[in-house]
Amino acid sequence: MKSKSSFREALTYIFLFILALAFLAPIAIIIMNSVKGNFYISQSPFSIPNYETFVGAENFIKGFKQSDFMKSFFNSAFITFFSVAGIVLMTSMTAWFIVRVKNKLTKLLYYLFVFSMIVPFQMVMYTMTYYAFELNLNNRIGIIFIYLGFGAGLSVFMFSGFIKSIPTEIEEAATIDGCSPVKTFFLIVFPILKPTAITVAILNAMWIWNDYLLPYLVLGSGEGKTLPVAVQMALTGGYGNKDMGALMAMLVLAILPIIIFYLFCQKYIIRGVAAGAVKG
């Protein structure tokens, strides 16, 4: 029995190792090609750079200038930060209300949020784009409200699951001590929600930072364009030709901040998902 268990465990580790390689391979290819010349990228995209193919920081300098990197980086950072902050704050309060105020309306609201998780973005993107322009949401401030709407489903679901595990006696004691509902939430409930709040922030930050389609539809390729849109538009030449070296270099710079953010916060993801989903 022990040998069978060890064999299964070994197979599991081998499978996970292969899966990890499959996910990391595209990133490794992008990094390798970011320091190679365009000709060598098209001729041998999977080869490791050598003295002949290596061009140093040339691709990074060229891509930095062509893509208006700093302005687009600021736009992405601004939209991501305030969208994530709004999602965490608003959905945590909504989930607390849904869980603690049990009636038909809150039950309906909960199922509407859950239902929104399974609706594909492509199904609503044309209608959403139309109303975004009609309501003047096609700017850096307006798109934050759109992200709040699309990110609310999963976030409310996770927060609701965790709040169900919080004893109501804690909140009742705060009410007896004279806390209003607002004070009870911010002084008692929200600090307890920290693991789930960080998990929600990480998942939404990775999604919003890397998103291409929604900013392209709402903001376009003008002054308010985000980093993924800027990289795509600036490094595309005539007849669809692309400067692949500069494109790879800008992709490395674009994914670097979110990777660093994830590495610092990854320990909270499993803890928050388990607390927010399993307990719910």
Side-chain angles (χ1 to χ4, degrees), residues 11-77:
L11 284 179
T12 301
Y13 280 115
I14 292 172
F15 173 74
L16 292 176
F17 178 75
I18 295 173
L19 196 63
L21 287 180
F23 276 97
L24 292 175
I27 299 176
I29 293 171
I30 290 173
I31 294 173
M32 286 192 306
N33 288 313
S34 67
V35 292
K36 290 162 61 176
N38 277 327
F39 175 77
Y40 301 104
I41 293 174
S42 58
Q43 289 294 106
S44 52
F46 304 110
S47 63
I48 298 174
N50 53 42
Y51 71 96
E52 183 180 3
T53 62
F54 184 74
V55 295
E58 180 183 325
N59 290 330
F60 289 89
I61 296 172
K62 185 165 45 174
F64 197 88
K65 293 178 180 179
Q66 292 179 7
S67 64
D68 196 11
F69 183 85
M70 288 307 300
K71 189 170 185 178
S72 304
F73 180 91
F74 173 77
N75 289 335
S76 287

Side-chain angles (χ1 to χ4, degrees), residues 1-136:
M1 294 294 292
K2 189 175 180 180
S3 60
K4 287 184 178 180
S5 177
S6 301
F7 179 72
R8 289 177 182 174
E9 187 175 346
L11 284 179
T12 301
Y13 280 115
I14 292 172
F15 173 74
L16 292 176
F17 178 75
I18 295 173
L19 196 63
L21 287 180
F23 276 97
L24 292 175
I27 299 176
I29 293 171
I30 290 173
I31 294 173
M32 286 192 306
N33 288 313
S34 67
V35 292
K36 290 162 61 176
N38 277 327
F39 175 77
Y40 301 104
I41 293 174
S42 58
Q43 289 294 106
S44 52
F46 304 110
S47 63
I48 298 174
N50 53 42
Y51 71 96
E52 183 180 3
T53 62
F54 184 74
V55 295
E58 180 183 325
N59 290 330
F60 289 89
I61 296 172
K62 185 165 45 174
F64 197 88
K65 293 178 180 179
Q66 292 179 7
S67 64
D68 196 11
F69 183 85
M70 288 307 300
K71 189 170 185 178
S72 304
F73 180 91
F74 173 77
N75 289 335
S76 287
F78 178 87
I79 292 169
T80 301
F81 177 81
F82 286 102
S83 296
V84 171
I87 289 171
V88 171
L89 179 62
M90 299 298 180
T91 58
S92 60
M93 296 174 69
T94 303
W96 184 58
F97 176 80
I98 288 173
V99 173
R100 293 296 183 242
V101 182
K102 296 181 179 179
N103 54 40
K104 292 182 179 179
L105 175 61
T106 56
K107 185 177 288 188
L108 176 62
L109 284 174
Y110 178 75
Y111 286 120
L112 285 175
F113 280 116
V114 173
F115 176 74
S116 69
M117 294 167 53
I118 63 175
V119 178
F121 173 73
Q122 290 78 6
M123 184 181 292
V124 298
M125 65 181 184
Y126 292 113
T127 307
M128 179 276 302
T129 305
Y130 171 78
Y131 281 108
F133 280 86
E134 287 294 313
L135 298 173
N136 294 320

Side-chain angles (χ1 to χ4, degrees), residues 130-167:
Y130 171 78
Y131 281 108
F133 280 86
E134 287 294 313
L135 298 173
N136 294 320
L137 296 177
N138 55 327
N139 51 67
R140 291 189 306 171
I141 303 296
I143 198 173
I144 292 173
F145 293 97
I146 299 175
Y147 273 123
L148 175 59
F150 281 109
L154 177 62
S155 302
V156 168
F157 174 75
M158 293 182 65
F159 276 123
S160 297
F162 187 82
I163 291 170
K164 289 176 184 176
S165 69
I166 301 175

